Amino acid sequence: MLFKLLFLSCFLCIPSICFSKTLDLLNVSYDPTREFYKEFNREFEKYWSSSNSAVKIRQSHSGSATQARAVISGLQADVVTLALAYDIDIIAKESQLLPSNWQQRLPNNSSPYTSTIIFLVRKGNPKNIHDWSDLIKSNVEVIMPNPKTSGAARWNYLAAWGYALQSKLAEKKSNAAAEKYAKEFVTALIKNIPVLDTGARGSTTTFVNRNIGDVLITWENEALLAFQQMSKSSSASSAHSQFEIVIPSLSILARPPVAVIDKIVDKRKSREMAEAYLKYLYTPVGQRLAAKHFFRPALPELVDKKELAIFPTLKLFTLEDFFGSWEKAHKIHFADGGTFDQIYRPHAP
Amino acid sequence: MPMNTLASKAANAMITLVALSFIFLFLILPILVILQQGFSEGVVAWWQNISDEETLLALRLTLTVAAIAVPLNLLFGIMIAWTIAKFQFRGRELLLTLIDLPLAIPPIISGLMYVLLFGIYGWFGAFFNNYDVQIIYAVPGIILVTIFVTLPYVARELIPLLSKQGTEEELAAISLGASGLQTFWRVTLPNVKWGILHGIILCNARAMGEFGAVAVVSGHIRGETNTLPLHIEILYNEYNFVAAFAISSLFVSLATITLLLKGMSSEHHSKKH
């Protein structure tokens, strides 16, 4: 009897899957923006439904390259908000879902917020690390993810390369000499990495929880967020207040871009809303929320000075300054057989 | 030989001690840690974490997926086990091996296979895209891969049981004038009902717990295509350790109940023989 009941209930409990068909928008994003978009989406839903019909923003997060791949193979994203322009370029190139000039369609190269690359060291800074040049000392262990798989790591790598270039160019050396030095510099840096994780969060765990390495190279927004989160959870504070942030003299301006996916919004008839959604990022509401979640606002004049105080001032260069474009940087440095492949050899035993 | 018995007793005690501490270290301790972390901020916080909207949506999705995948695999499992155990035909061995394939393939590959099949550039992708049917990065994709990875459990459980019983009882039933279906319902099925229950439990546990394959096809849309295991990972990565462990504790209790049920079913099972 018991058996028959169980058997029956198994078949009877097939529920119907029904999805409500209210207006919605899917934002496909990368990992560190979770907290920011959670709050921003609520604001946008309020704003949009005050003058239009109700809307629901659906949100997806994963690694930036993974998300680009998912959109190419059919994830129905109305908008993408990824870690680097190269990932949206790939979508444009491989699927033609949006035109290749997408980056010109919104202000500040379609980046409503920016970030940069900074260091996290252990309390008291025992290895005396103050700038990129300290990272190539032979007794320093550096933690960063693998540029082959991680968007953050590409920014890290290019930041180090740019720093080395700049230091030689400032000494009035020739371009070729500076390039040669930059390669040596980055080679020395990579020699100091004991373990290359696949993603930024993985590296943070290696550094913070597994206690490996003297310095972690990471996103400014990740470092600030991790700090805030760690100090919030009281039980963990004793273990995690053992770090401090170090700001290098020069770093790269990381510009995470956003774009409407034209073919998808046209099919779903959501273009008007999708464009309004991205434009809303450039309003005082969007900019203030970005600052609150540790992204540097692209339009700082819209945000209170007080709220900008968390961002340290440092000299920043752009990718275009030294590398031309993402496509070029990718081809030279990260493609198979590029400089990273030439430099990186797994440590011999 | 008192010395000898003493020594063997000591050896027995040693072995028992080693076994017990091994079990404690690798089984009990991790589970205790999960419970301790989950309840570290009290029962009220635990309940708040469990009843959070996104968590409930993830739970609903996980239950929905299991409620579709398990009955289908039950049906399929019984049919295939019946075919393999009671009949001799060419390719039987091959079929037997093929059933195990989902267990041998790493879950991430299972997920990728479905992306290659139903992704927009996949074999069937363009067809479904024309009709605006979303398979991959939506609930149907999650259900498909779950069915795939849990396919062997019921069949695996039944094949040895059915083969051991042979075909005498069925032959007797048929010679007494029972139809094929009657024989199946009245003779074959009652003989293996506890085995079936056993299979359902295992299949269900895997269906609810599957992570790797589902992660590939999920699309990670919050409150929509995040199953409970995926949701736990998200919470953990968002430094929300307490919530992650609170939900994990839910899973652990689910697993414990499952195992108790399984224990019960095997007990019944052994009583029959």
Side-chain angles (χ1 to χ4, degrees), chain A residues 2-3 6-7 10-11 13-15 17 19 26 34-35 58-62 69-70 72-76 94-95 201 204 209 225-226 229-230 267, chain B residues 54 64 67-68 70-71 74-75 78 115 119-121 129 132 134 136-137 139 143 185 193-194 196-197 200 219-222 224 234 236-239:
Chain A
L2 167 74
F3 171 73
L6 273 166
F7 197 81
C10 249
F11 284 98
C13 70
I14 301 179
I17 345 160
F19 294 116
L26 176 59
R34 295 167 173 187
E35 292 81 5
R58 298 146 69 219
Q59 192 65 46
S60 165
H61 296 278
S62 191
R69 189 54 47 197
I72 291 169
S73 39
L75 183 57
Q76 298 290 299
E94 290 206 4
S95 69
R201 278 283 156 97
T204 311
N209 297 348
L225 174 73
Q229 296 288 339
M230 295 299 185
K267 195 173 83 185
Chain B
E54 267 187 18
T64 308
I68 294 172
V70 174
L74 176 61
L75 205 66
I78 292 175
V115 172
I120 214 152
Y121 296 110
N129 194 43
D132 240 347
Q134 188 78 11
I136 229 78
Y137 308 121
V139 178
I143 294 172
W185 277 108
K193 59 184 177 185
W194 293 107
I196 291 178
L197 189 62
I200 292 176
H220 306 280
I221 305 169
R222 304 243 157 159
E224 202 174 305
I234 287 172
Y236 186 80
N237 276 341
E238 287 175 357
Y239 302 105

Side-chain angles (χ1 to χ4, degrees), chain A residues 204-228:
Chain A
T204 311
T205 315
T206 298
F207 184 74
V208 172
N209 297 348
R210 292 170 60 201
N211 227 5
I212 296 177
D214 303 305
V215 52
L216 172 73
I217 313 180
T218 187
W219 292 107
E220 177 184 60
N221 56 293
E222 275 281 278
L224 291 171
L225 174 73
F227 247 66
Q228 185 205 46

Side-chain angles (χ1 to χ4, degrees), chain B residues 252-264:
Chain B
V252 169
S253 20
L254 205 75
T256 317
I257 294 170
T258 303
L259 287 181
L260 285 179
L261 276 175
K262 192 180 150 210
M264 267 168 57

Side-chain angles (χ1 to χ4, degrees), chain B:
Chain B
M1 290 174 281
M3 273 307 281
N4 249 351
T5 44
L6 203 66
S8 76
K9 256 188 188 163
N12 271 347
M14 271 307 284
I15 291 169
T16 315
L17 192 72
V18 168
L20 280 181
S21 40
F22 192 83
I23 287 176
F24 181 77
L25 215 64
F26 286 91
L27 267 175
I28 317 273
L29 201 64
I31 291 175
L32 285 181
V33 168
I34 285 175
L35 292 178
Q36 187 262 331
Q37 287 276 342
F39 286 98
S40 64
E41 284 174 12
V43 180
V44 181
W46 180 83
W47 177 248
Q48 275 168 354
N49 283 324
I50 298 288
S51 54
D52 172 75
E53 196 203 339
E54 267 187 18
T55 306
L56 289 180
L57 286 170
L59 179 66
R60 194 181 76 173
L61 176 63
T62 295
L63 292 177
T64 308
V65 170
I68 294 172
V70 174
L72 281 175
N73 274 334
L74 176 61
L75 205 66
F76 168 81
I78 292 175
M79 290 194 301
I80 197 82
W82 159 269
T83 315
I84 286 180
K86 302 283 180 184
F87 301 94
Q88 294 292 334
F89 53 92
R90 273 177 76 181
R92 185 173 166 274
E93 287 300 316
L94 184 70
L95 199 60
L96 199 59
T97 319
L98 277 179
I99 293 173
D100 280 344
L101 212 56
L103 293 179
I105 295 178
I108 187 150
I109 310 286
S110 314
L112 284 174
M113 288 186 327
Y114 279 83
V115 172
L116 290 179
L117 275 180
F118 294 103
I120 214 152
Y121 296 110
W123 287 6
F124 308 125
F127 173 79
F128 284 108
N129 194 43
N130 275 344
Y131 294 95
D132 240 347
V133 177
Q134 188 78 11
I135 304 273
I136 229 78
Y137 308 121
V139 178
I142 298 178
I143 294 172
L144 280 177
V145 296
T146 308
I147 291 175
F148 179 81
V149 296
T150 58
L151 190 137
Y153 288 91
V154 175
R156 271 277 121 198
E157 198 64 36
L158 291 185
I159 291 169
L161 271 181
L162 286 171
S163 347
K164 202 171 72 189
Q165 282 163 2
T167 50
E168 287 94 350
E169 289 185 35
E170 277 91 348
L171 287 176
I174 286 170
S175 68
L176 290 172
S179 73
L181 212 59
Q182 272 177 322
T183 312
F184 179 73
W185 277 108
R186 301 280 181 83
V187 178
T188 311
L189 217 50
N191 271 336
V192 293
K193 59 184 177 185
W194 293 107
I196 291 178
L197 189 62
H198 206 145
I200 292 176
I201 289 167
L202 287 177
C203 180
N204 186 55
R206 178 75 193 268
M208 298 219 266
E210 178 55 31
F211 179 86
V214 170
V216 178
V217 299
S218 136
H220 306 280
I221 305 169
R222 304 243 157 159
E224 202 174 305
T225 62
N226 271 330
T227 60
L228 216 46
L230 297 182
H231 190 58
I232 291 175
E233 196 217 11
I234 287 172
L235 289 170
Y236 186 80
N237 276 341
E238 287 175 357
Y239 302 105
N240 202 344
F241 300 133
V242 178
F245 284 113
I247 303 171
S248 307
S249 71
L250 205 67
F251 254 119
V252 169
S253 20
L254 205 75
T256 317
I257 294 170
T258 303
L259 287 181
L260 285 179
L261 276 175
K262 192 180 150 210
M264 267 168 57
S265 73
S266 0
E267 217 168 274
H268 268 275
H269 185 68
S270 48
K271 258 186 221 154
K272 278 214 60 137
H273 292 273

Side-chain angles (χ1 to χ4, degrees), chain A residues 91-105:
Chain A
I91 299 175
K93 202 166 119 192
E94 290 206 4
S95 69
Q96 278 96 40
L97 289 170
L98 71 169
S100 56
N101 70 341
W102 60 272
Q103 213 168 0
Q104 265 81 63
R105 298 191 297 189

